[in-house]
Amino acid sequence: MSDIEVKDLPEVKLAGPVITVDGPSGAGKGTLCQMLAAKLNWALLDSGALYRVTALAAKQHGVALDNEAGLEAIAAHLDVQFKVSAEQAGVQVILEGDNVTSDLRTEETGAIASQVAAVNAVRSALLERQRAFQQEPGLIADGRDMGTVVFPSAELKVYLTASAEERGQRRYKQLIESGKNASLAGIIEDIRARDDRDMNRTVAPLKPADDAIVIDSTSMSIETVFEQVQQAAEKAGLLA
Ligand code: C5P
């Protein structure tokens, strides 16, 4: 008999390390996550896109927002592909064979997504799909509950926030620069309504994990935020 006890054996990690980035919409998570994924050469999970795709699929199939069983079935059977193409910048999202990339980012889809995301059965149906993104050499997970629910043992957890006014200004600028009409007051109001829904829902409410680093980007450039997270990643032994 070996004198090595089972408890002495090293823990075998079956999947790669995870950095979670949670926070309200418009805080700069998307840009930060893309910068981190590029720097580390890790995979990226945009969990918000899964809730947005669920919202679009529910709309397409005529499932009402108060039909929880219907929404759960939609989330459980999502036929979605995320394609990186050389011709088009960014990730192309294909839902049931149709390219829905441009519909995905609209304010309307975001608002429906946050209502769909408040349904417990939808969150459960998407949980394993999100966990399946964990891989070598590592994963950057962008969302609201990445550090609290989906990847509770992530190696590094970041909670990125900014004031509603600042996030509204950033969104307003983006819309105006892309030639769209927008009302700053309306955008800030929508952001507040979405924050309220995301932070006060009973399942997986938006909040920092107990062990998260909280960064307020209100008066900080994205480069400074990136540097701070990079330093934290280095400290956690995640940078080669
Ligand atoms: O991040 P994004 O704005 O694309 O997310 C859309 C909506 O999906 C959020 O307002 C939020 O309600 C929901 N969401 C969530 N949990 C996540 C990611 C997004 O509840 N992990």
Side-chain angles (χ1 to χ4, degrees):
M1 230 187 89
S2 152
D3 54 6
I4 299 177
E5 285 186 45
V6 172
K7 68 177 172 50
D8 292 332
L9 293 174
E11 188 195 343
V12 179
K13 280 232 164 190
L14 294 176
V18 180
I19 297 179
T20 58
V21 181
D22 291 305
S25 59
K29 290 183 301 238
T31 312
L32 172 66
C33 287
Q34 280 173 19
M35 290 167 88
L36 287 168
K39 168 79 188 176
L40 295 166
N41 214 4
W42 286 11
L44 178 60
L45 164 62
D46 174 2
S47 61
L50 286 175
Y51 289 96
R52 285 173 182 265
V53 169
T54 305
L56 282 181
K59 196 174 154 197
Q60 264 173 28
H61 290 278
V63 175
L65 292 175
D66 59 359
N67 175 358
E68 297 202 359
L71 292 175
E72 178 183 14
I74 291 277
H77 299 106
L78 270 187
D79 170 10
V80 63
Q81 289 165 280
F82 294 93
K83 285 194 175 165
V84 182
S85 86
E87 301 92 62
Q88 286 141 313
V91 178
Q92 299 294 305
V93 183
I94 315 294
L95 173 63
E96 296 170 19
D98 292 330
N99 190 328
V100 294
T101 315
S102 58
D103 295 339
L104 209 66
R105 295 280 143 218
T106 65
E107 303 301 310
E108 186 201 350
T109 307
I112 304 175
S114 98
Q115 293 173 59
V116 161
V119 178
N120 200 0
V122 167
R123 304 199 74 84
S124 307
L126 293 179
L127 190 61
E128 287 314 315
R129 201 186 270 261
Q130 294 173 83
R131 288 188 174 151
F133 276 80
Q134 191 172 359
Q135 59 191 268
E136 295 286 357
L139 176 71
I140 309 291
D142 171 345
R144 303 289 189 290
D145 61 341
M146 299 294 99
T148 49
V149 176
V150 182
F151 300 109
S153 36
E155 280 69 11
L156 178 63
K157 298 179 184 177
V158 177
Y159 186 87
L160 185 61
T161 187
S163 70
E165 290 75 15
E166 173 63 24
R167 290 182 284 132
Q169 289 277 6
R170 291 177 192 169
R171 183 71 185 140
Y172 177 74
K173 205 167 148 236
Q174 269 175 358
L175 289 170
I176 298 297
E177 279 171 1
S178 62
K180 301 210 173 79
N181 270 332
S183 136
L184 178 59
I187 291 173
I188 295 176
E189 203 177 301
D190 287 351
I191 283 181
R192 288 218 168 93
R194 189 123 75 93
D195 283 358
D196 187 54
R197 255 198 311 273
D198 289 350
M199 290 173 180
N200 296 311
R201 65 184 174 216
T202 47
V203 292
L206 170 63
K207 61 169 185 203
D210 292 340
D211 49 351
I213 312 172
V214 178
I215 301 177
D216 185 334
S217 76
T218 305
S219 46
M220 224 188 246
S221 72
I222 193 69
E223 287 76 20
T224 310
V225 173
F226 176 62
E227 264 167 40
Q228 289 198 359
V229 176
Q230 213 179 317
Q231 279 167 15
E234 209 164 348
K235 234 169 133 185
L238 296 171
L239 291 188

